[in-house]
């Protein structure tokens, strides 16, 4: 098994429909390719870890790099994985909508912080994923 983590900036005019399309496509494709992972969209940024067969995750990553909904796609880490951290997830997703209030947003961020505390002993890629999430939460 192989894994990679990347961070990208969403195009400036990304819509909720764009996000829903990314989710629908990701879930279907990742399930068919036996890829697991976690995708977070927050503050106009995507952070994602993908785990699976090396050729499959790099095919997905190459598609992301050419996807016009992403700009500044940065591969942060890739390497072998000893265990599936997001086993059975295929893709996790949360996107606050226009009606999300500050309390809901704080709950979302706190839940991410709690989840991140469970992954201290995982791979470098997964630790980097959670570090990026914390960075997004505490920026601005």
């Amino acid at each position: 098994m192989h894994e990679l983590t990347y961070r990208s900036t969403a195009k400036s005019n990304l819509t909720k429909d764009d996000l829903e399309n990314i989710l629908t496509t990701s879930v279907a494709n990742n399930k068919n390719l036996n890829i697991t992972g976690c995708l977070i969209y927050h503050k106009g940024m995507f952070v994602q870890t993908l785990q699976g067969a090396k050729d499959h995750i790099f095919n997905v990553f190459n598609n992301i790099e050419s996807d016009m909904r992403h700009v500044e796609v940065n591969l942060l880490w890739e390497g072998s994985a000893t265990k599936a951290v997001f086993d059975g997830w295929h893709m996790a997703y949360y996107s606050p909508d226009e009606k999300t209030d500050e309390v809901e947003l704080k709950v979302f961020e706190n839940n991410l912080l709690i989840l991140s505390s469970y992954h201290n002993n995982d791979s470098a890629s997964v630790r980097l994923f959670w570090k990026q999430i914390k960075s997004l939460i505490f920026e601005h």
Side-chain angles (χ1 to χ4, degrees):
M1 179 176 18
H2 210 75
E3 64 188 352
L4 65 78
T5 296
Y6 75 88
R7 181 174 173 161
S8 69
T9 303
K11 72 176 185 174
S12 61
N13 59 346
L14 192 76
T15 67
K16 185 171 180 168
D17 287 342
D18 289 329
L19 289 170
E20 293 297 328
N21 184 269
I22 289 169
L23 173 65
T24 302
T25 303
S26 296
V27 168
N29 291 344
N30 292 350
K31 186 174 184 178
N32 288 337
L33 296 172
N34 201 27
I35 292 174
T36 60
C38 187
L39 169 66
I40 301 293
Y41 171 75
H42 191 49
K43 296 183 179 178
M45 303 293 294
F46 292 102
V47 179
Q48 184 172 34
T49 291
L50 297 168
Q51 294 182 310
K54 185 175 183 177
D55 57 336
H56 290 163
I57 64 171
F58 273 98
N59 284 338
V60 169
F61 181 70
N62 291 335
N63 289 337
I64 291 165
E65 284 185 307
S66 63
D67 187 328
M68 299 304 290
R69 296 169 295 192
H70 295 263
V71 295
E72 300 176 25
V73 179
N74 295 301
L75 178 61
L76 301 172
W77 196 92
E78 64 90 11
S80 296
T82 57
K83 67 177 183 173
V85 176
F86 302 105
D87 194 30
W89 284 36
H90 301 299
M91 198 51 53
Y93 169 83
Y94 175 87
S95 175
D97 61 26
E98 300 82 34
K99 298 177 185 175
T100 301
D101 62 23
E102 277 298 310
V103 173
E104 286 182 62
L105 183 58
K106 286 297 175 197
V107 168
F108 169 64
E109 290 177 341
N110 286 335
N111 287 340
L112 288 174
L113 293 172
I114 290 167
L115 277 172
S116 73
S117 69
Y118 292 109
H119 295 282
N120 291 334
N121 296 321
D122 288 321
S123 68
S125 184
V126 173
R127 288 192 309 271
L128 182 58
F129 170 81
W130 289 113
K131 182 178 179 179
Q132 291 292 312
I133 298 304
K134 289 177 184 178
S135 174
L136 282 178
I137 290 170
F138 295 116
E139 286 177 356
H140 306 98

